[in-house]
């Protein structure tokens, strides 16, 4: 690679402003988007080769087994450890019908090169993007990839695989479009507040002629007759009101010039406009955290920042925690559990409980049910290690490493979020780092109406007994 090319690309990565720090679907004209612009970070890929994964573009690789739990000591309460499938069958708690994400998932990456693109689109750029997404490396030397993030968060159960066609060895495909890209690119003439990405459809159709199987990426049940209706309804989808099958297809990630919002949206994937899917739209300058955030949307995750901004969650403010290379934290335990990336220990009464951080290989949140099957608590232990390293710093939003208490309210997540008028669906209640700190659990008093904000005591207090750097915390849960 020439020094001139490297200098050109690196200067691009240092320049520009992100249109938003993390984002999802575009809102209708009648609604104000929740995202606000933040400065770009310098975490777009650099052209420094790192080892790549052995390509295995398959929809059903063998999942990694969950680690065997360490036996609890005699002074620790006995718990029942359950998988998400087992938890869904229990009447005392309700979970949505999400698809687990425990297979290697194909990801098709398109670099969309327009006349006004800033990045120099070469084979070296394709290799750089491939390394950045599919490669393996370390945070210490700046070579860690998006796949490294998902492998860490999922406990080794999930990663993306490049889609290889013909003699392509990267899984990244460049398309040179002889026109300018604008902030109104691809807007539907009748529905100007959402993007109907014709360019993507035409480019993917070209790949179909090279052997790409469009059915591996198409969402079932969506066609050119009902597409607009479904896309319109997408604006009103609730956190749990989504078709599980939409998140079981191969994934598509498109890199565009820095003019539009980063988001996940529907797009046609055929120039016949008979096949559609959800795709992740990112920009040339998108940060590492933003890319991980948008790809997690492709698994069905909701924007938790609509409920509250917490740096302890990728789907809230954890996609833009600081202006650093790896501006990211782990995903909340709710999605971690739903995706099958961890099991849960279910509380069975007063006693002392052990929590294990991710680096132990035994991460399992403690799940505490309430009288309402739609409301329960998830308590986890987070250490400032790996992609959670940023938790050791202080921020404007709630953050920190330690015993972390989350409250889940499925009633709220089954309804459309309406600013402060609707209850918190997933709420980080606090982070407790020091022995002796106590938290009294509270949840919503009305079990049916998500607009009733009154709280009631759960009659349980959580006290931190000990925490250590080895990744183990001990808490006491008892009634009062």
């Amino acid at each position: 690679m020439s020094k001139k090319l490297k200098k050109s690309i690196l200067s691009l990565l240092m320049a520009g402003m992100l249109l938003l720090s993390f984002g999802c679907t575009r809102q209708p004209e009648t609604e104000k988007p929740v995202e606000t612009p933040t400065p770009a970070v310098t975490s777009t890929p650099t052209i420094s080769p790192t080892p790549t994964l052995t390509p295995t573009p398959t929809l059903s690789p063998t999942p990694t087994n969950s680690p065997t739990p360490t036996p609890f000591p005699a002074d620790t309460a006995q718990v029942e450890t359950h998988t998400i499938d087992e938890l869904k069958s229990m009447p005392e708690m309700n979970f949505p019908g999400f698809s687990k994400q425990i297979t290697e998932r194909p990801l098709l990456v398109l670099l969309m090169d327009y006349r006004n693109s800033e990045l120099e689109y070469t084979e070296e750029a394709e290799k750089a993007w491939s390394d950045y997404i599919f490669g393996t490396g370390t945070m210490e030397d700046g070579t860690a990839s998006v796949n490294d993030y998902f492998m860490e968060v999922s406990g080794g159960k999930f990663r993306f695989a490049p889609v290889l066609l013909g003699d392509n060895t990267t899984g990244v495909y460049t398309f040179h479009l002889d026109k300018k890209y604008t902030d109104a690119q691809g807007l539907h003439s009748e529905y100007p507040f959402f993007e109907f990405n014709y360019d993507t459809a035409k480019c993917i159709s070209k790949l179909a002629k090279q052997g790409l199987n469009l059915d591996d990426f198409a969402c079932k049940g969506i066609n050119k007759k009902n597409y607009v209706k479904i896309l319109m309804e997408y604006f009103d989808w609730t956190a749990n009101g989504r078709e599980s099958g939409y998140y079981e297809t191969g994934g598509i990630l498109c890199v565009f010039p820095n003019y539009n919002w980063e988001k996940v949206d529907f797009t046609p994937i055929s120039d016949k406009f008979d096949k559609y899917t959800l795709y992740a739209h990112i920009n040339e300058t998108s940060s590492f955290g933003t890319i991980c955030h948008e790809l997690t949307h492709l698994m069905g995750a909701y924007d938790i920042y609509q409920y509250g901004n917490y740096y302890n969650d990728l789907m809230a403010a954890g996609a833009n925690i600081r202006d650093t290379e790896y501006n990211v934290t782990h995903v909340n335990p709710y999605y971690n559990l739903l995706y099958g990336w961890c099991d849960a220990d279910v509380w069975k009464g007063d006693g002392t409980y052990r929590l294990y951080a991710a680096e132990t290989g035994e991460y399992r949140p403690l799940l505490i049910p309430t009288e309402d099957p739609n409301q329960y608590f998830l308590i986890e232990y987070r250490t400032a290690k790996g992609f959670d390293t940023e938790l050791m710093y202080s921020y404007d939003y709630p953050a920190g490493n330690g015993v972390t208490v989350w409250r889940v309210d499925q009633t709220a997540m089954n309804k459309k979020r309406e600013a402060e008028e609707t209850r918190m669906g997933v709420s980080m209640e606090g982070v407790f780092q020091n022995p002796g700190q106590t938290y009294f659990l509270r949840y919503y008093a009305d079990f049916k109406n998500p607009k009733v904000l009154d709280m009631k005591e759960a009659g349980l207090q959580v006290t931190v007994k000990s925490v250590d750097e080895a990744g183990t915390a001990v808490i006491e849960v008892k009634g009062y």
Side-chain angles (χ1 to χ4, degrees):
M1 177 183 59
S2 68
K3 291 184 178 179
K4 181 178 180 181
L5 172 59
K6 184 174 182 179
K7 182 177 180 181
S8 173
I9 293 178
L10 291 178
S11 65
L12 163 68
L13 305 183
M14 295 292 293
M17 296 284 288
L18 289 178
L19 291 180
L20 38 102
S21 59
F22 46 83
C24 185
T25 59
R26 173 171 297 185
Q27 300 295 320
E29 285 183 327
T30 56
E31 298 181 6
K32 294 182 179 180
V34 298
E35 297 86 351
T36 56
T38 59
V41 298
T42 60
S43 58
T44 317
T46 56
I47 306 234
S48 52
T50 59
T52 56
L53 295 173
T54 301
T56 47
T58 171
L59 284 169
S60 56
T62 304
T64 303
N65 293 326
S66 300
T68 302
T70 299
F72 286 91
D75 62 347
T76 307
Q78 297 297 309
V79 296
E80 292 182 359
T81 301
H82 292 283
T83 66
I84 183 58
D85 293 331
E86 293 168 341
L87 292 171
K88 286 181 178 180
S89 67
M90 297 180 181
E92 60 264 41
M93 61 199 83
N94 292 334
F95 292 88
F98 271 62
S99 299
K100 289 186 293 185
Q101 301 288 336
I102 54 174
T103 61
E104 190 176 60
R105 187 173 181 181
L107 181 68
L108 179 67
V109 181
L110 308 183
L111 302 184
M112 308 295 283
D113 181 22
Y114 291 81
R115 289 180 191 167
N116 52 342
S117 294
E118 297 178 71
L119 183 64
E120 192 169 351
Y121 287 83
T122 63
E123 290 184 2
E124 290 174 309
E126 289 184 357
K127 179 63 166 58
W129 275 99
S130 181
D131 289 344
Y132 197 62
I133 295 171
F134 303 114
T136 56
T138 66
M139 295 177 65
E140 288 73 21
D141 63 10
T143 60
S145 70
V146 169
N147 259 353
D148 288 326
Y149 172 83
F150 283 108
M151 286 290 283
E152 177 178 301
V153 175
S154 70
K157 296 181 177 67
F158 178 84
R159 65 180 178 180
F160 291 100
V163 178
L164 306 180
L165 302 171
D167 58 0
N168 181 284
T169 60
T170 63
V172 179
Y173 300 84
T174 299
F175 290 92
H176 304 284
L177 296 102
D178 189 19
K179 60 182 178 180
K180 286 188 175 181
Y181 188 81
T182 72
D183 58 2
Q185 189 75 32
L187 295 184
H188 195 292
S189 59
E190 297 179 24
Y191 308 97
F193 50 83
F194 65 77
E195 185 176 300
F196 190 95
N197 204 305
Y198 300 101
D199 289 342
T200 301
K202 294 175 182 178
C203 293
I204 295 176
S205 285
K206 292 180 180 179
L207 294 180
K209 295 177 181 178
Q210 299 178 35
L212 182 70
N213 186 353
L214 296 183
D215 289 333
D216 287 342
F217 298 86
C219 293
K220 294 180 180 178
I222 306 178
N223 53 54
K224 55 187 176 183
K225 293 182 179 180
N226 63 12
Y227 167 76
V228 171
K229 178 178 182 295
I230 291 175
L231 193 148
M232 294 287 287
E233 292 174 348
Y234 183 62
F235 294 128
D236 293 323
W237 280 1
T238 64
N240 293 340
R242 305 180 175 197
E243 292 287 341
S244 179
Y246 293 167
Y247 306 97
E248 298 172 352
T249 69
I252 296 176
L253 175 71
C254 294
V255 182
F256 288 91
N258 192 31
Y259 288 87
N260 277 310
W261 296 350
E262 296 135 319
K263 62 187 186 312
V264 164
D265 207 346
F266 279 109
T267 183
I269 56 173
S270 166
D271 53 13
K272 297 179 181 178
F273 302 106
D274 58 347
K275 297 182 187 295
Y276 301 84
T277 196
L278 287 165
Y279 81 114
H281 171 142
I282 65 170
N283 297 328
E284 292 173 326
T285 55
S286 291
S287 73
F288 185 89
T290 298
I291 295 171
C292 293
H293 176 98
E294 300 303 337
L295 288 175
T296 307
H297 277 312
L298 286 183
M299 305 176 206
Y302 202 66
D303 280 321
I304 299 301
Y305 62 73
Q306 296 197 32
Y307 298 111
N309 268 316
Y310 326 111
Y311 281 126
N312 285 46
D313 186 2
L314 172 72
M315 305 315 294
N320 192 39
I321 190 165
R322 282 206 312 167
D323 188 11
T324 59
E325 175 74 13
Y326 298 109
N327 61 328
V328 66
T329 60
H330 285 202
V331 72
N332 64 66
Y334 174 70
Y335 283 123
N336 206 317
L337 183 60
L338 288 179
Y339 292 152
W341 294 348
C342 70
D343 298 333
D345 291 337
V346 179
W347 171 81
K348 289 299 179 183
D350 287 2
T352 303
Y353 295 85
R354 288 183 178 260
L355 303 172
Y356 298 97
E359 69 268 19
T360 67
E362 298 182 37
Y363 171 82
R364 303 185 303 279
L366 177 66
L367 192 156
I368 302 179
T370 70
E371 296 176 276
D372 179 10
N374 282 318
Q375 296 187 72
Y376 41 86
F377 298 91
L378 292 170
I379 304 178
E380 63 175 351
Y381 182 42
R382 300 276 284 273
T383 55
K385 296 182 179 181
F387 288 103
D388 255 350
T389 297
E390 297 291 334
L391 290 181
M392 71 176 64
Y393 303 101
S394 298
Y395 305 96
D396 297 332
Y397 294 134
N401 52 297
V403 174
T404 311
V405 179
W406 299 81
R407 184 184 62 241
V408 177
D409 177 20
Q410 299 290 359
T411 299
M413 298 185 79
N414 287 330
K415 300 293 182 181
K416 185 179 179 182
R417 177 77 172 145
E418 297 177 11
E420 301 305 319
E421 299 178 6
T422 309
R423 316 192 299 212
M424 307 289 279
V426 176
S427 173
M428 193 181 84
E429 296 297 285
V431 179
F432 307 95
Q433 300 174 325
N434 302 316
Q437 287 184 294
T438 295
Y439 180 75
F440 296 86
L441 300 181
R442 302 169 71 239
Y443 61 104
Y444 293 109
D446 191 296
F447 295 173
K448 296 182 178 179
N449 186 350
K451 291 190 176 183
V452 177
L453 306 181
D454 298 335
M455 307 289 289
K456 67 180 295 185
E457 300 290 333
L460 293 173
Q461 67 180 41
V462 177
T463 303
V464 179
K465 305 299 287 186
S466 67
V467 296
D468 62 45
E469 286 300 314
T472 303
V474 177
I475 62 173
E476 180 183 55
V477 183
K478 67 177 183 180
Y480 61 89

